[in-house]
Amino acid sequence: MTGPKRRDKISALAAAAFCSAAAALFTAAALWKTEADPDLFGYLAFGRLYFSGGAFPYHDVFSYLPVRPVWVYHEWLTGVVLFRVLTGFGPEGLQVLRWALGLSALWLCARAAQRLGAGLVPVCLTLFLCVNIWAAGYNPVRAQVFTYLFFAASLYLAVRARESAWASWLFVPLTLLWQNLHGGFPAGIALFLLCAVFARGVRLRFLLPALASLCLVWVNPYGFSYYPYMAEALTFPRAEIGEWLPLWKALAVGYPLSAAACYLLLAALAVLLFRKASWQPEEAAVLAGTFLAGLLVIRHQVFFALCGLAFLPPALDRPVRSYGKPVLAVLVAALLANGYAFAVQARLALDRKNPLALTTPACPEQACTSVAFPVEAVTYLRQRGFTGKIVTDFAWGEYVLWKLWPECRVALDGRYDTVFPKEICREYLDFVLGKPDGREFLVRYPPDAVLTRIGSDVDSRMRFLPGWVLAHSDCASALFLREAGKRKPSKK
C-alpha cells in the first residue's frame, strides 16, 4: 500500500473512531435519565392488578369518577411486562430494559442506513443531529419505548422489502405484538401505507401487509371494540397536555429552544440534500410525513428523528467526502445546538452517577427531566391510615394510585381517554385549570382530599374554600382535607 493511500486509510479510520466515540457519548448522555415518568406508575398498577386478580381487568377500579363501561387499556401488555421486570429485577431492571430498547431502535435505523449505502461517519454525524430529539421519548419508563423500537423495525423492514418480499410480511406479526404493548402501532401502518402509495413497482409488498395488519387489530383482549376505541383516541383533543401541542405553541409554554433548533436543522439538512439525494419516492414521502407529524405534535418528533437516521446518512456520503459548504454549515449549526444540550446532559449525568437508578424527586428543584412527586404528602396519608377519595394534580394521579390503592381512589389521572368519557375529562381539567365552570367539580364528585401543586390555582382556591383545611404542605404539594377529617397541619 502506497504512502498516500495508507494515510487516507488511517485518516478514514481515525474519523470513524472519533465519530463513533462522540456518538456513543452523546447517546449515553441523552439516555442517562433517572427520574421516573408519571405514566410508569399507571403501567405498574395495571400489572399488579393483572397478576393479583383472578380475571383480566376490563373495568377500572382506581378512580371514583364515572368511567367508561370497558377500560380499553392499549398499554396493557406494557404494564404486565414492566411489573414483572420490577418484581423480578427491581428498578434497575426497568432502566436496563429502557436502555436496551432505545439502543436497539438506533441500531435498526443505522442498519437501514447502511443497507442503503451509508458509511459509518455519515451515520454518526446524523446521530448528532437526531439524538436529543430521539431521547425526548425515553423518560423512564414509558410505553412509547416499544413504539419507537417497532417503528424503527418497520423502517428496516421497509428498506429490506425492496430486496425481498418476505421482509415486508414480517411487519404483520410485529404489529400483532405492537398493538398490545402500545397504541402507537398506527404509525407503523401509516408508514407502510405511505410506502404503498409512493413506491414504484413494489406497491403490493407494502399494501398487503398493511391491510392484513389492519384486519388483525382485533387480536387483543378487547376484540373488535379496539377499532372504535382507536378511532376515537386518534382524534381525542389533548390541548392541555404539553407533549400534544404543535411546535409553535409548545415553544410559547417553555419547550426548549435548543430542541426546536435541532428539529428544524435536521429538516433543513433534509431539504438541502433533497435534490442530490438518491432517495426513493417513498423515502422522501416518509421523511416529509414524519416531519409534518412532529411539527403538529411534538411527541411525534421522535419518528422524524428515527427516519432521519435511516434515510439521511446515505445522502450525506458524497457531500461529506466533498465537504459541501451548505451541508457543513447545517451540520456545524446542529452540532452547536446539540452541544449545549449535551453539556447540560453530561453535567446531569455526572450528578446522578448511577445510570440505572430510578428516582421520584420530592421537590421541584430536584426535578430536571420529569416532575416533582408528592412523596411527602403520600407518606403523610399512609402514616395516618387515610382512606377515601382523592383529587390529585393530573401528573400525580398514577403515582398516588400506585402508592395508596386500594385504601384510596383517585379522580382523573394520566390514563385519561382510556378510562374516562370526554365530558368527565373536560370537567376535571376545568377544575385544575381554575376555570369558572370548574368550581362545581368538587360538588358533583365530592372527594375526601385534594392534593395539588403548591402555589397552583387549585392551591390558592382551596385555601379559602369553606369546609376544607390545609393538612399538609411541603416544597411540592399542598394537601387539603375535609373539615370532618381535620388533622393538625404538619410542620413544613
Side-chain angles (χ1 to χ4, degrees):
M1 184 181 292
T2 60
K5 288 185 178 180
R6 178 176 292 180
R7 285 195 297 272
D8 289 344
K9 186 174 182 179
I10 292 173
S11 298
L13 289 173
F18 173 80
C19 288
S20 299
L25 286 173
F26 265 68
T27 304
L31 272 180
W32 203 307
K33 301 176 181 179
T34 60
E35 296 168 19
D37 188 272
D39 287 346
L40 169 63
F41 302 103
Y43 311 143
L44 295 177
F46 180 92
R48 180 176 59 190
L49 189 64
Y50 176 88
F51 286 109
S52 63
F56 190 89
Y58 286 105
H59 306 287
D60 176 72
V61 296
F62 299 119
S63 176
Y64 74 89
L65 296 180
V67 296
R68 294 175 182 268
V70 177
W71 176 17
V72 180
Y73 195 46
H74 62 82
E75 298 156 330
W76 76 270
L77 187 54
T78 292
V80 170
V81 171
L82 295 187
F83 182 77
R84 185 57 77 195
V85 171
L86 178 69
T87 55
F89 303 98
E92 293 80 6
L94 295 175
Q95 288 283 50
V96 168
L97 178 64
R98 179 177 67 93
W99 279 73
L101 294 177
L103 294 176
S104 296
L106 291 183
W107 180 80
L108 284 165
C109 289
R111 286 291 297 148
Q114 288 178 330
R115 293 199 71 88
L116 292 171
L120 179 60
V121 172
V123 169
C124 293
L125 288 175
T126 309
L127 182 60
F128 293 150
L129 279 73
C130 297
V131 69
N132 279 302
I133 306 168
W134 160 82
Y138 283 84
N139 287 344
V141 178
R142 305 190 70 180
Q144 283 89 330
V145 296
F146 291 105
T147 276
Y148 301 141
L149 173 67
F150 289 136
F151 186 80
S154 302
L155 282 172
Y156 180 73
L157 292 177
V159 170
R160 291 294 307 272
R162 281 200 159 270
E163 307 166 5
S164 172
W166 67 264
S168 63
W169 282 103
L170 290 177
F171 178 72
V172 178
L174 181 145
T175 306
L176 285 175
L177 179 59
W178 187 353
Q179 69 195 23
N180 285 281
L181 286 162
H182 186 240
F185 70 91
I189 296 175
L191 167 67
F192 263 56
L193 288 176
L194 263 180
C195 292
V197 171
F198 290 95
R200 296 170 181 167
V202 290
R203 286 187 170 91
L204 288 180
R205 291 188 183 181
F206 298 104
L207 180 61
L208 294 179
L211 293 178
S213 297
L214 278 172
C215 292
L216 293 174
V217 168
W218 61 270
V219 182
N220 62 80
Y222 310 102
F224 288 98
S225 63
Y226 203 40
Y227 286 100
Y229 164 74
M230 285 305 303
E232 182 181 356
L234 290 172
T235 58
F236 196 87
R238 300 176 178 89
E240 294 82 4
I241 302 177
E243 65 181 359
W244 287 96
L245 293 175
L247 181 59
W248 58 91
K249 289 186 178 180
L251 285 170
V253 295
Y255 185 68
L257 187 60
S258 61
C262 288
Y263 187 72
L264 296 176
L265 284 166
L266 185 64
L269 179 63
V271 172
L272 282 175
L273 294 172
F274 178 73
R275 289 188 177 182
K276 294 185 178 181
S278 56
W279 288 327
Q280 298 291 341
E282 68 270 21
E283 296 168 4
V286 168
L287 277 171
T290 52
F291 168 72
L292 182 60
L295 203 62
L296 296 175
V297 180
I298 60 171
R299 70 178 283 167
H300 295 340
Q301 291 182 359
V302 179
F303 296 125
F304 182 56
L306 292 171
C307 291
L309 185 57
F311 298 139
L312 291 186
L316 269 176
D317 251 334
R318 185 178 299 173
V320 167
R321 292 195 197 101
S322 60
Y323 301 100
K325 291 182 180 179
V327 173
L328 281 179
V330 173
L331 284 173
V332 170
L335 287 172
L336 289 174
N338 247 353
Y340 170 75
F342 173 73
V344 172
Q345 289 162 353
R347 180 183 62 80
L348 293 175
L350 291 173
D351 290 342
R352 297 182 188 117
K353 297 181 181 177
N354 180 9
L356 300 183
L358 193 62
T359 61
T360 50
C363 286
E365 294 78 12
Q366 301 169 352
C368 299
T369 60
S370 185
V371 300
F373 291 88
V375 176
E376 295 183 25
V378 167
T379 302
Y380 175 92
L381 290 171
R382 177 175 284 170
Q383 289 176 346
R384 285 154 182 78
F386 178 86
T387 60
K389 299 174 289 186
I390 309 176
V391 174
T392 71
D393 184 86
F394 178 75
W396 292 347
E398 291 169 291
Y399 175 78
V400 172
L401 66 86
W402 166 248
K403 292 290 185 179
L404 298 179
W405 186 85
E407 288 77 16
C408 299
R409 290 188 296 161
V410 300
L412 193 136
D413 57 78
R415 297 168 302 144
Y416 207 38
D417 55 311
T418 67
V419 173
F420 305 97
K422 285 183 180 180
E423 60 273 14
I424 298 297
C425 295
R426 172 51 48 201
E427 290 181 67
Y428 169 84
L429 290 172
D430 285 347
F431 170 71
V432 297
L433 294 175
K435 295 184 178 180
D437 294 342
R439 296 175 181 175
E440 297 300 316
F441 182 81
L442 297 182
V443 177
R444 292 180 186 174
Y445 314 105
D448 302 301
V450 174
L451 180 59
T452 186
R453 295 173 190 266
I454 194 81
S456 66
D457 290 338
V458 175
D459 179 19
S460 302
R461 190 186 319 148
M462 294 298 299
R463 289 175 186 268
F464 299 99
L465 197 63
W468 292 89
V469 61
L470 177 64
H472 169 91
S473 65
D474 53 59
C475 59
S477 63
L479 174 66
F480 297 89
L481 301 177
R482 286 192 178 275
E483 281 190 337
K486 182 176 179 181
R487 295 175 174 86
K488 185 178 179 181
S490 62
K491 297 179 180 179
K492 290 284 179 183

